[in-house]
């Protein structure tokens, strides 16, 4: 399978398909600058994004499962069509445990290396979510930026609604020296305080306890200040109204079997998507949104 995919989609120096952890196939994009990213066909997880000098931007748990029936813990899992446990489906939906199809790869005139992946309904998804759909992901790698675009099309005969998110795990040197900026004055829902709605007063969110908050209609430009590494990652989203900020801290880390007890110290999730107000698609309609991450 890997040979066939390479034959079809490989581009010398830019795109290769190889065997990743657990024998799962992954697409490796390499930009002329030396930046790179890796996308597993399993769950379309973007497991790694590195700068031209080889610094890793994404967190990946050393305890992650690498099995085709389990999500990968880290990188960017794609949440669809249900966020978390807010419905009858498995937590965060089925996209992150589906096998994705690689549709195309390329290098644009401006040097951006890209690939498109897709899932559509299967007998298994129809059994738990009775809708025909196409969910596409476009990954675009530049020297210092990664753009992930998502597209949902209703290919069926009935309308449906859904939730979607890029559940991005950022690697940071030290969570106690990390801040998320750009959310001040947004009213957020604090999952850890019985979904209390609170106006964000902090210009910078810092971490000293478990954090699990949804910011509906958040500003489109955010920043992660990774003080320990002395670097900033800018997050710019388009048509993805909501943001989630999550760190499991000590007790929840210990409860998660696929996450190291001390790993909360080196990560923060800043998720972008459509969660609070579910997009509704009539037959034939399309939803699109994207997020660009830039290392500064
Ligand atoms: C976040 C949720 O998006 O994902 C958290 O806000 C949840 O509540 C976290 O714990 C991880 O979820 P999972 O299913 O990957 O363990």
């Amino acid at each position: 399978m890997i040979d066939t995919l390479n034959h079809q989609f490989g581009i010398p120096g830019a795109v290769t398909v190889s065997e990743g952890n657990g024998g799962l196939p992954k697409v490796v994009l390499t930009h002329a600058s030396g930046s790179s990213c890796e996308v597993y066909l399993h769950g379309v997880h973007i497991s790694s994004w590195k700068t031209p000098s080889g610094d890793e931007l994404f967190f990946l748990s050393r305890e992650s499962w690498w099995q085709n029936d389990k999500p990968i813990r880290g990188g960017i899992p794609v949440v669809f069509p249900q966020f978390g446990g807010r419905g009858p489906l498995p937590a965060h939906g089925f996209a992150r445990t589906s096998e994705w199809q690689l549709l195309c790869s390329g290098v644009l005139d401006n040097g951006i290396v890209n690939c498109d992946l897709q899932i559509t309904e299967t007998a298994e998804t129809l059994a738990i979510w009775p809708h025909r759909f196409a969910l596409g992901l476009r990954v675009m790698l530049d020297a210092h930026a990664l753009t992930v675009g998502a597209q949902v099309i209703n290919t069926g005969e009935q309308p449906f609604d859904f939730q979607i998110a890029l559940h991005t795990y950022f690697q940071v040197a030290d969570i106690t020296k990390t801040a998320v900026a750009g959310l001040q004055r947004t009213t957020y829902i604090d999952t850890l305080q019985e979904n209390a709605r609170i106006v964000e007063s902090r210009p910078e969110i810092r971490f000293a306890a478990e954090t699990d908050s949804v910011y509906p209609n958040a500003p489109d430009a955010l920043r992660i200040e990774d003080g320990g590494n002395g670097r900033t990652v800018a997050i710019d989203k388009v048509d993805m109204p909501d943001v989630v900020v999550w760190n499991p801290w000590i007790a929840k880390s210990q409860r998660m079997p696929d996450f190291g007890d001390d790993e909360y110290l080196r990560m923060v999730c800043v998720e972008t998507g459509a969660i609070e107000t579910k997009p509704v698609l009539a037959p034939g309609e399309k939803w699109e949104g994207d997020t660009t991450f830039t290392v500064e």
Side-chain angles (χ1 to χ4, degrees):
M1 176 195 184
I2 286 175
D3 288 348
T4 313
L5 289 171
N6 252 318
H7 187 67
Q8 234 180 323
F9 301 106
I11 302 174
V15 181
T16 52
V17 183
S18 58
E19 193 177 285
N21 292 339
L24 301 171
K26 65 179 182 186
V27 188
V28 182
L29 306 186
T30 309
H31 186 267
S33 65
S35 66
S36 64
C37 77
E38 299 186 352
V39 188
Y40 277 77
L41 299 189
H42 173 61
V44 81
H45 283 79
I46 303 178
S47 60
S48 167
W49 170 38
K50 288 183 180 163
T51 63
S53 48
D55 295 329
E56 179 61 64
L57 280 311
F58 288 162
F59 165 85
L60 188 59
S61 172
R62 62 172 185 267
E63 305 290 343
S64 179
W65 288 306
W66 299 97
Q67 287 169 223
N68 54 17
D69 58 341
K70 296 272 203 313
I72 294 167
R73 177 70 73 188
I76 312 184
V78 175
V79 170
F80 176 88
Q82 172 188 298
F83 183 81
R86 297 178 176 203
L89 299 180
H92 286 324
F94 50 70
R96 65 178 182 167
T97 48
S98 296
E99 297 315 307
W100 286 61
Q101 196 192 351
L102 184 56
L103 294 184
C104 64
S105 63
V107 181
L108 305 179
D109 289 347
N110 58 10
I112 288 178
V113 184
N114 60 91
C115 67
D116 286 6
L117 302 100
Q118 180 182 268
I119 51 169
T120 56
E121 75 283 348
T122 61
E124 289 78 37
T125 67
L126 286 168
I128 55 174
W129 196 65
H131 304 293
R132 284 171 43 208
F133 70 96
L135 167 59
L137 207 78
R138 170 163 291 183
V139 183
M140 288 184 284
L141 177 71
D142 208 341
H144 298 283
L146 179 72
T147 298
V148 182
Q151 183 186 74
V152 183
I153 302 173
N154 181 346
T155 53
E157 269 95 52
Q158 302 295 327
F160 64 70
D161 60 20
F162 63 93
Q163 291 166 309
I164 189 164
L166 303 176
H167 193 305
T168 311
Y169 287 75
F170 295 92
Q171 178 176 301
V172 297
D174 180 347
I175 190 67
T176 64
K177 295 183 181 136
T178 299
V180 177
L183 291 165
Q184 195 177 23
R185 287 184 286 280
T186 305
T187 298
Y188 67 95
I189 301 161
D190 190 337
T191 312
L192 303 171
Q193 292 190 59
E194 295 172 342
N195 294 326
R197 288 185 180 253
I198 302 167
V199 178
E200 182 57 79
S201 59
R202 299 166 290 182
E204 291 187 334
I205 298 161
R206 293 192 169 269
F207 300 87
E210 185 178 350
T211 302
D212 195 350
S213 304
V214 183
Y215 292 77
N217 296 314
D220 283 336
L222 311 173
R223 284 188 332 278
I224 300 176
E225 310 283 359
D226 175 0
N229 274 321
R231 76 180 174 209
T232 299
V233 178
I235 302 174
D236 292 284
K237 61 186 180 64
V238 178
D239 294 335
M240 289 191 165
D242 307 335
V243 165
V244 180
V245 180
W246 178 61
N247 181 289
W249 214 249
I250 299 167
K252 191 162 185 174
S253 295
Q254 291 169 350
R255 288 199 301 274
M256 294 195 295
D258 57 338
F259 190 87
D261 288 358
D262 58 349
E263 287 187 315
Y264 72 95
L265 291 165
R266 301 195 291 110
M267 56 71 70
V268 64
C269 281
V270 180
E271 309 166 36
T272 49
I275 297 164
E276 268 309 295
T277 304
K278 294 183 182 181
V280 181
L281 290 180
E285 275 189 341
K286 178 166 81 179
W287 174 95
E288 285 179 301
D290 65 59
T291 302
T292 296
F293 310 103
T294 310
V295 205
E296 293 175 352

